[in-house]
Amino acid sequence: MEREFIKICKQSFNSDQITSSENELYRHSHDESHHPSVEPDLVFFPESADDVVNIVGISRQFQIPITPFGTGSGLEGQVIPVKKGISVNFERMNQVIKFSPEDMLVTVQPGITRMGLNSIINKHGLYFPIDPGADASIGGMVATNASGTTAVRYGSMRDQLLDLEVVLANGTVIHTGTKAKKSSSGLHLTGLFAGSEGTLGLITEITLKLHGIPEHTIAATCTFDTPRACTEAAHAILLSGIPILRMEFVDALSISFVNAYGSYGLPEKHSLFFEFAGMQKAVEEESLLAEGLLKDMGCENWAIASDSGERARLWKARHEMSYAFRHIKGMTSTGGDVCAPISKLPHLVDYARELIAESGLTGGIFGHVGDGNFHTIIMYDTSSTDELAKAEQINGRLAERAIELGGTCTGEHGVGIGKRKYQFAEHGAALEVMKSMKQLFDPENLLNPGKIFL
Amino acid sequence: MEREFIKICKQSFNSDQITSSENELYRHSHDESHHPSVEPDLVFFPESADDVVNIVGISRQFQIPITPFGTGSGLEGQVIPVKKGISVNFERMNQVIKFSPEDMLVTVQPGITRMGLNSIINKHGLYFPIDPGADASIGGMVATNASGTTAVRYGSMRDQLLDLEVVLANGTVIHTGTKAKKSSSGLHLTGLFAGSEGTLGLITEITLKLHGIPEHTIAATCTFDTPRACTEAAHAILLSGIPILRMEFVDALSISFVNAYGSYGLPEKHSLFFEFAGMQKAVEEESLLAEGLLKDMGCENWAIASDSGERARLWKARHEMSYAFRHIKGMTSTGGDVCAPISKLPHLVDYARELIAESGLTGGIFGHVGDGNFHTIIMYDTSSTDELAKAEQINGRLAERAIELGGTCTGEHGVGIGKRKYQFAEHGAALEVMKSMKQLFDPENLLNPGKIFL
């Protein structure tokens, strides 16, 4: 017998807005993480904020959980409907609502992806620079406070936001900010919804700051003998004040995997990837200064890519790191996402290497060292629960060490399912405050239950 | 007869930590705004977070309100203890707790001022750039989400914060963040306390990001015939992508007042003030590009100040604008602090000029046009309630227009007393959410009651 809430959904929406097809239930059961998949009872495709208000009403009426879904590129299981119910997929709400190049602002629906957005705005000399690798939806990126390779210059998603339209659990629609570039008015809700992973409300509109496309860009790579030498060099670049757009560390093993995956022919050594961007003379000066400083520190294989094809190839290699590890038959991977004060990075990367070596598993290390944020990617045999346990232990010990060093268990992937167990260690007494806020916004625990909080 | 809570305070703290002296009650009754002063019953000088926990306990026990006090340089009456009770002055909690130049971070107590902090860190090549003009306390700047002339590059106070230690109304001490440069862990409380004006908790420790002191700086000024031409030129500079550290508009009347106040000899025309800062070659290129663009737009009196004495003199003039208006005998002033999308600025500045002209009062306009934020400063005779009413009407109409244009009633001064009446117009349904959060954090309404919320 069809459940009552499904019947009401069928009455309330167009037939193509709801589905329980096997394919769609499967697609909405997982993301790109290793967390166990759970299928929703129903997938709903809203086309407006009103649709979202209505589905939230049905959720409340029948006490059915709601889990928002962007593109499914998340890495901590945020979109997995662990309590089943309704998966709300925003892919049809993918429009630019208002583009104001003169104000360097754009208001979008949550389902637009970052590449989709850039394809519309780039011709006006503007770009949205946050780049987590995957072509994630802007809504998903807000919900997890995503960042990526350009955070060292532009910050995380939270730093890009001026206003959010949010549908609350009680059906109220609010705007959290204005279109002004700064404000000291009222309590700051925008930053609170960023990173809240759909646990406080459903985001239906997002106003983002945009940035001018830099006039000139130079990418560069170099290698060092040890991960520590790389992270120390990255630290020196930061302290030098040379402005960088990107600064990434990739260990030798990861380079060898990505070479095998995409025939990039990169030197298979511990590497730093750089991008300098701005006005031409400034960028040329910056890249020269960096080259001098890095060579003084003993770097090898300094290479520059200044045409856009070469640059694109280099960053494609960087972004394919995690896929390079995952495509091997019978194996899958899990990974950490710690972030710590930059001076602690050489130690933390060494520690990650030790943990991986002790485990006997294969694993790479790469990440956004300009922010003190890096990822481990540990491969394990999908048929071996022992290997998964070992891989998870590495993640756990690394997260704990990062927290001890004043850092965080997640720099950009979010809490989702996997990082819930570190929330008390990281937040202490503040965790109770967070829980009371969750209770305030979602007293019936219908909005993405089972995420962030254990 | 001495009130019970005062007796308990005397038993709980050293005698020099509490006072009801006439001078101190007066000092804690007002800030730099025109809002009516109210004296507290008692002034308390905490020396530690424990002292703050204890005073919060006494506040709860006797249901006595608490109002935090930094340096009293605020402009919306945030420190005025409108319900009397205890004024908590943080001037003894003014230490650097931990300075980590290698991480470009510093953890301070709230009572340290921005200049006090800079005097400690500048010798390490680092600076804390947020500059609201006054030598405000860092705690006060966090509480109001202050910004100022450098926000166009560095953002507001909220953007500088990694972690806050906060004493909550129930006596719990929490940390809102970590020392990592970015995080996607938990709900984001840091941004919520920034700008909360002491209504949610008392901040006892602040971890700030620091920035490298730019290698080279060039300041410049130029003039135009109309305010509109200035704001249009500012808009063009922003769209050009030339990176600026500061970009300020000052109208001709304000220039004439500051010339009279400090004998600066500036051309008495509508002016733009610029600062370019970074690596030498880049800065020279930027200033040349700006000069060309501004001259194409018809600017006059282009003048450069590249030595540090000249630059300091120029920015001293800019910061003395509001004092220049206030020092005239028998007169005082009130002012607006609107912020709107940058494309709306020419219209909004014109509108401000019209309102001032209609009123028959004297008033200047200046501000941070790179952010779309500007101030009006309207002089009125302290003996005339009619003039005050007219001045307030100008502020009100300007705030309403800014909100209609997608902006905010306060770009950087905060809500305090004066902007409470615009909170619904600006925030709509979100205001109820903010009130419910206030209720959650401070159910007995003891923390700075009468601020933000009517």
Side-chain angles (χ1 to χ4, degrees):
Chain A
M1 200 195 75
E2 193 167 78
R3 290 165 67 185
E4 185 68 11
F5 82 92
I6 297 183
K7 203 181 295 171
I8 298 291
C9 282
K10 285 184 176 168
Q11 287 165 15
S12 308
F13 303 107
N14 296 328
S15 61
D16 72 340
Q17 289 188 275
I18 50 175
T19 178
S20 303
S21 82
E22 212 175 294
N23 281 346
E24 289 292 8
L25 293 184
Y26 173 72
R27 177 161 78 104
H28 293 82
S29 71
H30 65 280
D31 60 6
E32 295 190 9
S33 73
H34 69 291
H35 297 295
S37 60
V38 177
E39 292 189 349
D41 296 302
L42 191 73
V43 179
F44 174 60
F45 298 92
E47 295 174 358
S48 66
D50 281 349
D51 282 352
V52 177
V53 171
N54 289 337
I55 200 74
V56 165
I58 292 170
S59 147
R60 219 166 45 237
Q61 186 185 351
F62 295 96
Q63 296 287 300
I64 300 294
I66 278 189
T67 301
F69 187 99
T71 63
S73 59
L75 293 167
E76 281 298 355
Q78 284 93 346
V79 302
I80 302 175
V82 292
K83 308 271 184 198
K84 301 189 69 74
I86 305 165
S87 179
V88 177
N89 181 321
F90 283 94
E91 68 191 20
R92 296 188 194 173
M93 288 178 68
N94 67 349
Q95 297 301 302
V96 168
I97 294 171
K98 188 171 185 207
F99 175 34
S100 308
E102 71 283 9
D103 290 318
M104 302 175 80
L105 292 181
V106 70
T107 300
V108 300
Q109 291 185 310
I112 195 169
T113 69
R114 65 179 186 88
M115 290 181 189
L117 172 59
N118 274 315
S119 74
I120 293 169
I121 64 177
N122 285 173
K123 58 178 91 77
H124 296 264
L126 295 169
Y127 81 142
F128 180 70
I130 307 305
D131 179 2
D135 189 21
S137 70
I138 297 293
M141 288 170 68
V142 174
T144 56
N145 190 33
S147 48
T149 52
T150 61
V152 66
R153 175 166 298 179
Y154 295 107
S156 300
M157 278 306 285
R158 186 176 286 128
D159 304 305
Q160 317 307 316
L161 305 174
L162 291 186
D163 183 33
L164 299 173
E165 182 183 85
V166 184
V167 176
L168 301 180
N170 64 9
T172 307
V173 182
I174 62 167
H175 276 262
T176 62
T178 71
K179 312 302 185 237
K181 210 179 136 198
K182 64 181 197 186
S183 174
S184 286
S185 184
L187 298 178
H188 187 63
L189 302 178
T190 310
L192 182 67
F193 282 100
S196 67
E197 303 185 359
T199 64
L200 303 182
L202 284 88
I203 297 166
T204 48
E205 210 180 284
I206 299 150
T207 299
L208 298 166
K209 291 185 240 177
L210 301 174
H211 300 270
I213 297 176
E215 171 191 302
H216 194 67
T217 302
I218 295 176
T221 53
C222 70
T223 66
F224 285 93
D225 284 339
T226 61
R228 175 174 283 264
C230 284
T231 50
E232 286 173 350
H235 191 196
I237 291 283
L238 276 186
L239 292 182
S240 75
I242 299 169
I244 42 176
L245 178 65
R246 294 177 156 106
M247 182 164 65
E248 300 282 306
F249 163 68
V250 185
D251 76 350
L253 184 78
S254 305
I255 297 275
S256 69
F257 269 81
V258 83
N259 275 343
Y261 181 72
S263 308
Y264 289 100
L266 295 165
E268 296 190 356
K269 301 193 73 176
H270 305 295
S271 302
L272 289 174
F273 287 40
F274 295 94
E275 203 160 82
F276 308 95
M279 295 201 300
Q280 179 158 359
K281 279 187 201 163
V283 168
E284 285 167 357
E285 188 188 9
E286 287 155 19
S287 127
L288 270 175
L289 281 169
E291 180 181 353
L293 192 153
L294 293 162
K295 286 185 173 168
D296 284 349
M297 294 188 78
C299 88
E300 295 178 303
N301 298 303
W302 174 262
I304 272 190
S306 47
D307 85 69
S308 65
E310 280 177 87
R311 283 206 319 272
R313 191 174 141 78
L314 201 62
W315 291 107
K316 183 161 174 283
R318 167 63 191 86
H319 282 145
E320 283 183 350
M321 290 298 160
S322 51
Y323 300 101
F325 278 91
R326 267 185 262 166
H327 84 296
I328 293 163
K329 202 169 151 45
M331 300 292 280
T332 190
S333 64
T334 173
D337 171 40
V338 291
C339 186
I342 184 85
S343 67
K344 305 294 194 291
L345 206 59
H347 163 80
L348 205 57
V349 169
D350 279 355
Y351 184 63
R353 277 253 61 89
E354 279 165 33
L355 291 172
I356 296 170
E358 271 172 27
S359 73
L361 299 177
T362 301
I365 301 174
F366 48 84
H368 320 305
V369 288
D371 304 311
N373 178 210
F374 70 89
H375 308 301
T376 49
I377 189 147
I378 321 277
M379 295 172 68
Y380 64 93
D381 187 329
T382 46
S383 65
S384 161
T385 53
D386 180 50
E387 285 197 8
L388 173 58
K390 276 186 184 170
E392 297 247 288
Q393 203 179 28
I394 297 171
N395 287 345
R397 287 174 67 186
L398 200 55
E400 284 156 12
R401 179 63 63 92
I403 293 168
E404 284 163 21
L405 295 172
T408 174
C409 63
T410 174
E412 56 181 11
H413 294 170
V415 177
I417 295 167
K419 296 300 189 305
R420 292 177 302 175
K421 54 183 171 292
Y422 312 115
Q423 292 299 290
F424 182 72
E426 180 162 335
H427 301 294
L431 184 58
E432 280 308 309
V433 176
M434 295 173 191
K435 284 181 180 168
S436 66
M437 291 175 72
K438 166 70 174 169
Q439 172 72 21
L440 175 70
F441 279 91
D442 180 24
E444 299 173 301
N445 196 26
L446 296 170
L447 302 182
N448 210 357
K451 308 301 161 55
I452 303 183
F453 307 105
L454 273 174
Chain B
M1 200 193 78
E2 194 167 76
R3 290 165 67 183
E4 186 69 11
F5 82 91
I6 298 183
K7 204 182 290 169
I8 298 292
C9 281
K10 285 186 175 167
Q11 285 165 18
S12 307
F13 302 108
N14 295 328
S15 61
D16 71 341
Q17 288 187 275
I18 47 173
T19 178
S20 306
S21 80
E22 213 174 296
N23 280 346
E24 290 292 8
L25 294 184
Y26 173 72
R27 177 160 78 105
H28 294 81
S29 70
H30 65 280
D31 60 6
E32 295 190 11
S33 72
H34 70 291
H35 296 296
S37 60
V38 178
E39 292 189 351
D41 295 304
L42 192 75
V43 178
F44 174 60
F45 297 92
E47 294 174 358
S48 67
D50 282 349
D51 282 351
V52 176
V53 170
N54 289 336
I55 201 73
V56 165
I58 291 170
S59 149
R60 220 164 47 238
Q61 188 184 348
F62 296 96
Q63 296 286 296
I64 300 294
I66 278 189
T67 302
F69 187 100
T71 63
S73 60
L75 293 167
E76 281 297 357
Q78 284 93 345
V79 302
I80 301 175
V82 291
K83 308 271 186 198
K84 300 189 70 76
I86 305 166
S87 178
V88 177
N89 180 320
F90 282 94
E91 69 189 22
R92 295 188 193 171
M93 289 179 68
N94 66 350
Q95 297 301 300
V96 168
I97 294 171
K98 189 172 185 207
F99 176 35
S100 308
E102 71 283 10
D103 290 318
M104 300 174 81
L105 293 182
V106 69
T107 300
V108 298
Q109 291 184 311
I112 195 169
T113 69
R114 66 179 185 88
M115 290 182 190
L117 172 59
N118 274 315
S119 74
I120 294 168
I121 64 178
N122 285 172
K123 57 177 94 73
H124 295 265
L126 295 170
Y127 81 141
F128 180 71
I130 307 305
D131 179 1
D135 189 21
S137 70
I138 297 292
M141 288 170 69
V142 174
T144 55
N145 190 35
S147 48
T149 52
T150 61
V152 67
R153 175 165 299 179
Y154 296 108
S156 300
M157 278 305 286
R158 186 176 286 126
D159 305 304
Q160 317 306 315
L161 305 175
L162 291 185
D163 183 33
L164 299 174
E165 182 182 86
V166 184
V167 176
L168 301 179
N170 64 9
T172 307
V173 181
I174 63 167
H175 276 262
T176 62
T178 72
K179 311 301 185 241
K181 208 179 139 200
K182 66 182 197 185
S183 175
S184 287
S185 184
L187 298 178
H188 187 63
L189 302 178
T190 310
L192 182 66
F193 282 101
S196 68
E197 303 186 358
T199 63
L200 302 182
L202 283 89
I203 297 165
T204 48
E205 213 178 281
I206 300 149
T207 299
L208 298 166
K209 293 187 238 175
L210 301 174
H211 300 270
I213 297 176
E215 174 191 300
H216 193 67
T217 302
I218 295 176
T221 53
C222 69
T223 65
F224 285 93
D225 284 339
T226 62
R228 176 173 283 264
C230 284
T231 49
E232 285 173 351
H235 191 196
I237 291 283
L238 276 185
L239 292 182
S240 76
I242 299 170
I244 42 175
L245 178 65
R246 293 178 157 106
M247 181 164 64
E248 299 282 304
F249 164 66
V250 184
D251 76 350
L253 183 78
S254 305
I255 298 275
S256 69
F257 268 82
V258 83
N259 274 344
Y261 182 72
S263 308
Y264 287 101
L266 296 165
E268 296 191 357
K269 301 192 74 179
H270 304 295
S271 303
L272 288 173
F273 287 40
F274 294 94
E275 202 159 83
F276 308 94
M279 295 201 302
Q280 181 159 1
K281 279 186 203 166
V283 168
E284 286 166 356
E285 188 188 8
E286 288 154 19
S287 123
L288 270 175
L289 282 169
E291 181 182 350
L293 194 154
L294 292 162
K295 285 185 173 168
D296 283 349
M297 295 190 77
C299 89
E300 295 179 300
N301 298 303
W302 174 263
I304 272 189
S306 48
D307 85 67
S308 66
E310 281 174 87
R311 284 206 319 273
R313 191 175 141 78
L314 202 61
W315 292 106
K316 185 160 172 283
R318 168 62 192 87
H319 281 145
E320 283 181 350
M321 290 298 160
S322 52
Y323 299 102
F325 279 91
R326 265 185 263 165
H327 85 297
I328 293 164
K329 201 167 153 38
M331 300 293 279
T332 189
S333 64
T334 173
D337 171 39
V338 291
C339 186
I342 184 86
S343 67
K344 304 295 195 291
L345 207 58
H347 164 79
L348 206 57
V349 169
D350 279 354
Y351 184 63
R353 278 253 59 91
E354 279 165 34
L355 290 172
I356 295 170
E358 272 171 28
S359 73
L361 299 176
T362 300
I365 301 175
F366 48 83
H368 320 305
V369 289
D371 304 311
N373 178 210
F374 70 90
H375 307 303
T376 49
I377 188 148
I378 321 280
M379 293 171 69
Y380 63 94
D381 186 330
T382 47
S383 63
S384 160
T385 52
D386 179 52
E387 285 197 10
L388 173 59
K390 278 186 184 170
E392 298 247 286
Q393 204 179 24
I394 298 171
N395 287 345
R397 289 174 66 186
L398 200 56
E400 285 157 11
R401 179 65 61 92
I403 293 167
E404 284 163 20
L405 295 171
T408 174
C409 63
T410 173
E412 55 181 11
H413 294 170
V415 178
I417 295 167
K419 297 299 189 304
R420 292 177 302 175
K421 55 182 169 292
Y422 311 116
Q423 293 299 288
F424 181 72
E426 180 161 337
H427 300 296
L431 184 59
E432 279 308 309
V433 176
M434 296 174 191
K435 284 182 180 169
S436 67
M437 292 175 73
K438 166 68 175 173
Q439 171 72 20
L440 175 71
F441 279 90
D442 181 23
E444 299 173 299
N445 196 26
L446 296 170
L447 302 182
N448 209 359
K451 308 300 160 58
I452 302 183
F453 306 106
L454 271 174

